Amino acid sequence: MSKQTLGLDNPLYDYLLSVSLREPDILASLREETAKHPRAMMQISPEQGQFMGLLIQLMGATKTLEIGVFTGYSSLSVALSLPGNGQIIACDISEEYTTIARRYWQAAGVANKISLQLGPAVKTLDKLLAAGQGGTFDFAFIDADKENYDAYYERSLQLVRTGGLIAIDNVLWGGQVVNSEVQDKDTIAIRTFNEKLRHDPRVTLSLVPIADGLTLALKRRWAPLLEPEQKE
């Protein structure tokens, strides 16, 4: 994982932040507190949080889904960009991590926008689908256990509306996706997932090299046939 955009040395990364980052004090405080956490590498970078907030405003999103909360930086970034009637369904399994998140949601005045669902995310997503909420979400963010990325994606694709956006984090996995010597389950899961999305006609796709790699998958109104690959 990477807490800053891959491929930038420290001086260039610092410059990027100095000329573009508009981080509210509440987000900066959360980032500073999380930096002391033993699993601080799980937090998204500030430039990614700002980018996600921009996407929310650009889409005019009001109803969003988050799979993987940790200490709440991504959900807080989104909540601050949502209108007053905005809603986030936030899924996580950790009471410990999300206690920090809830404290900051409350301090930022956005706790009313966020419904935290503690438990396995697949079960939560299945309940949403069973309750008839398919096609009602504008945006979904996936940043949880990598072996379940495909399960989260397939359910998110049902839950977002046509023209809705799914953002998937850590798709470059600290560069390990191109290291053939790395064959752990998480890395294999990400490689397999990336290849699947490349060929998925249900979405318009872009992998943005921000932070640890963020895939954007726009749910299409129609599914065109993909051109067959040329064989050498």
Side-chain angles (χ1 to χ4, degrees), residues 18-54:
S18 72
V19 298
S20 66
L21 186 63
R22 301 177 177 181
E23 185 179 41
D25 290 343
I26 190 71
L27 278 171
S29 296
L30 173 55
R31 184 159 58 93
E32 290 169 6
E33 179 173 341
T34 304
K36 303 171 186 175
H37 194 281
R39 305 198 72 178
M41 290 297 292
M42 290 170 58
Q43 180 174 257
I44 68 168
S45 68
E47 69 272 19
Q48 180 179 330
Q50 182 168 295
F51 179 63
M52 289 169 56
L54 184 150

Side-chain angles (χ1 to χ4, degrees), residues 16-232:
L16 180 152
L17 296 183
S18 72
V19 298
S20 66
L21 186 63
R22 301 177 177 181
E23 185 179 41
D25 290 343
I26 190 71
L27 278 171
S29 296
L30 173 55
R31 184 159 58 93
E32 290 169 6
E33 179 173 341
T34 304
K36 303 171 186 175
H37 194 281
R39 305 198 72 178
M41 290 297 292
M42 290 170 58
Q43 180 174 257
I44 68 168
S45 68
E47 69 272 19
Q48 180 179 330
Q50 182 168 295
F51 179 63
M52 289 169 56
L54 184 150
L55 292 175
I56 294 298
Q57 294 181 52
L58 184 66
M59 297 179 66
T62 58
K63 187 176 182 182
T64 74
L65 179 67
E66 176 162 295
I67 303 165
V69 175
F70 189 40
T71 60
Y73 193 95
S74 53
S75 50
L76 183 53
S77 297
V78 169
L80 290 170
S81 296
L82 285 169
N85 65 339
Q87 179 188 16
I88 303 173
I89 304 296
C91 308
D92 206 282
I93 59 172
S94 174
E95 178 76 33
E96 176 189 353
Y97 298 161
T98 55
T99 294
I100 300 172
R102 284 182 286 189
R103 175 157 46 87
Y104 278 89
W105 297 340
Q106 191 68 40
V110 297
N112 62 305
K113 298 181 182 180
I114 306 171
S115 175
L116 178 63
Q117 304 294 313
L118 286 176
V122 168
K123 291 185 178 180
T124 299
L125 301 178
D126 284 344
K127 287 179 181 178
L128 291 172
L129 289 168
Q133 295 202 44
T136 66
F137 288 81
D138 301 302
F139 176 82
F141 178 53
I142 300 173
D143 184 16
D145 54 303
K146 311 313 172 192
E147 289 186 72
N148 273 319
Y149 261 27
D150 187 60
Y152 300 146
Y153 170 73
E154 287 296 335
R155 288 161 174 79
S156 295
L157 196 58
Q158 295 179 64
L159 286 163
V160 299
R161 60 174 172 82
T162 300
L165 186 67
I166 304 173
I168 308 103
D169 200 22
N170 301 126
V171 291
L172 295 180
W173 203 228
Q176 296 303 303
V177 285
V178 296
N179 186 343
S180 61
E181 296 182 0
V182 178
Q183 297 295 333
D184 61 274
K185 291 181 179 179
D186 285 342
T187 305
I188 292 172
I190 292 173
R191 289 184 187 127
T192 303
F193 179 75
N194 288 342
E195 283 296 324
K196 171 180 174 170
L197 261 64
R198 180 188 177 207
H199 299 285
D200 191 344
R202 299 171 295 176
V203 296
T204 299
L205 185 70
S206 181
L207 196 166
V208 182
I210 190 171
D212 197 27
L214 183 69
T215 288
L216 302 179
L218 181 74
K219 185 175 179 179
R220 282 175 160 165
R221 290 172 174 80
W222 48 275
L225 293 174
L226 294 181
E227 292 293 330
E229 292 187 5
Q230 296 294 324
K231 295 183 178 181
E232 295 183 1

